[in-house]
Structure formats: C-alpha cells, structure tokens
Amino acid sequence: MSRIKREKETIDLMIKIYCNKKHKSKKNELCNECKELLEYAHKRLDFCKFGEEKKFCSKCPIHCYKKDMKIKIKEVMKFSGPRLLFYRPVQVIKHIIEK
Ligand code: SF4
Ligand SMILES: [Zn+2]
C-alpha cells in the first residue's frame, strides 16, 4: 500500500477515535468539525510536495497546515496516538519501525 494511502487510513482512525470519545459521535461517524479536519488532512496529503518520500507530518520542516488546523490535528494526535495501539496494533508497530 502506498505511504500516502496508509497515512490517510491512520489519520481516519485517529480522528474517529478522537471524535467518538471527545465529541460523543456515534461509532464510524464524525461531527462536522472533525469531518472538516479529515477532509483537510486528506487534501494536505494529496498535495504533499514530498509525495511518497514524505516523512511524518509532525517532523516536517514545512508543516503545510494552516494554524487552526495544525492546532486541531496536534490535539487529535496527542489524544488518539496512545489509543491506536488498542485498535490497530500492527499498524502502530509498522509506524514505530519506520520512525
Ligand atoms: S506537513 Fe509536510 S509532510 Fe505533511 S502533508 Fe504537509 S508538506 Fe507533506
Ligand atoms: Zn468530532
């Protein structure tokens, strides 16, 4: 699977975990704010100038997110990052190895 596609899947899951717990959305559903964030994050990945060579967004020297979205995505990562292990252990382990 391509790196961009894999990152999209991870971000989907992280935002879902966050929205379900923090915004009390139903399983597999997102509130409008999180839907907007997800679409935004996908667009960033689609237009990432590093393409398949990209590193983690959190380590990116450019960080192409606009300010408010950057704050939101950081919050999501902080919350959902540690919880990912319960949902997708294999995916997380791959992430750690790549890091
Ligand atoms: S933050 Fe950096 S790595 Fe992430 S999508 Fe934007 S340019 Fe690409
Ligand atoms: Zn939400």
Side-chain angles (χ1 to χ4, degrees), residues 21-37:
K21 301 267 187 223
K22 288 271 194 177
H23 301 152
K24 309 285 174 222
S25 59
K26 284 187 200 148
K27 208 167 183 275
N28 290 324
E29 284 183 21
L30 292 178
C31 72
N32 288 338
E33 190 188 342
C34 291
K35 231 180 258 166
E36 195 194 345
L37 178 63

Side-chain angles (χ1 to χ4, degrees), residues 2-92:
S2 81
R3 175 161 191 133
I4 299 283
K5 193 156 183 253
R6 192 149 34 92
E7 287 210 14
K8 278 184 181 173
E9 283 190 359
T10 307
I11 204 74
D12 284 9
L13 184 61
M14 286 179 124
I15 294 177
K16 253 180 216 156
I17 294 169
Y18 181 86
C19 190
N20 291 165
K21 301 267 187 223
K22 288 271 194 177
H23 301 152
K24 309 285 174 222
S25 59
K26 284 187 200 148
K27 208 167 183 275
N28 290 324
E29 284 183 21
L30 292 178
C31 72
N32 288 338
E33 190 188 342
C34 291
K35 231 180 258 166
E36 195 194 345
L37 178 63
L38 181 68
E39 278 165 19
Y40 183 81
H42 276 201
K43 231 174 244 161
R44 295 334 302 160
L45 286 168
D46 284 337
F47 293 110
C48 177
K49 64 177 281 185
F50 301 107
E52 287 296 312
E53 303 299 314
K54 79 184 281 302
K55 303 277 184 255
F56 285 98
C57 293
S58 55
K59 303 247 187 296
C60 178
I62 301 172
H63 216 300
C64 63
Y65 282 62
K66 61 181 183 181
K67 204 174 166 207
D68 57 332
M69 290 300 190
K70 196 170 172 175
I71 293 168
K72 282 184 195 172
I73 203 76
K74 276 193 172 167
E75 173 81 24
V76 167
M77 299 216 162
K78 207 167 102 194
F79 182 83
S80 300
R83 287 167 175 82
L84 260 189
L85 200 55
F86 297 104
Y87 291 82
R88 292 271 175 88
V90 175
Q91 203 168 9
V92 174

